[in-house]
Amino acid sequence: MTSFIYLKLRDPGTAEAFARRVPAIAPAFEDTWVNVRAWQLVADQDATMLKGSRPILVIGSWLLSFLAIGGVATLAAGRAAEQTRRVGVLKAVGATPGLIAAVPARLAARNPIARTLNAEAT
């Protein structure tokens, strides 16, 4: 079993002496092997391990952002096609230009997502 205990010493210069007297902390654990490492060493090891994965994370984040933009564009295109069809139907039944302009605005007012987008745009 491995356990990590992160200790912050008041005087970092005494870390070497602390590492030599660790069994004195808990006499019941005198036979236990204790490995003491400075935080700088742990940070360097972490940075070394993460250095190779950083480009992969950057590429993955770019791909996810392109996927999100593509999804939003697809939703917007579908919505525009729906509005175009609705306007065509309204024109076919003889609606006036004022009514044609009012219907999409009225539908957008009922849509909570459109309300949010319109509120952010103003």
Side-chain angles (χ1 to χ4, degrees), residues 5-49:
I5 300 174
Y6 296 104
L7 299 175
K8 183 177 181 181
L9 302 175
R10 285 186 193 151
D11 183 12
T14 61
E16 196 66 39
F18 176 77
R20 277 188 257 121
R21 316 184 286 154
V22 168
I25 295 173
F29 298 113
E30 284 187 54
D31 298 335
T32 304
W33 177 60
V34 178
N35 189 359
V36 179
R37 294 185 179 159
W39 69 268
Q40 293 92 342
L41 177 65
V42 174
D44 288 341
Q45 288 175 342
D46 289 348
T48 302
M49 285 196 286

Side-chain angles (χ1 to χ4, degrees), residues 28 62 67-68 74 89 95:
W62 275 100
L67 182 65
T74 302
V89 169

Side-chain angles (χ1 to χ4, degrees), residues 2 4 18 23 30 46 52 54 69-70 80 93 96:
T2 303
F4 287 104
F18 176 77
E30 284 187 54
D46 289 348
R54 191 169 293 145
I69 290 169
V93 296
T96 63

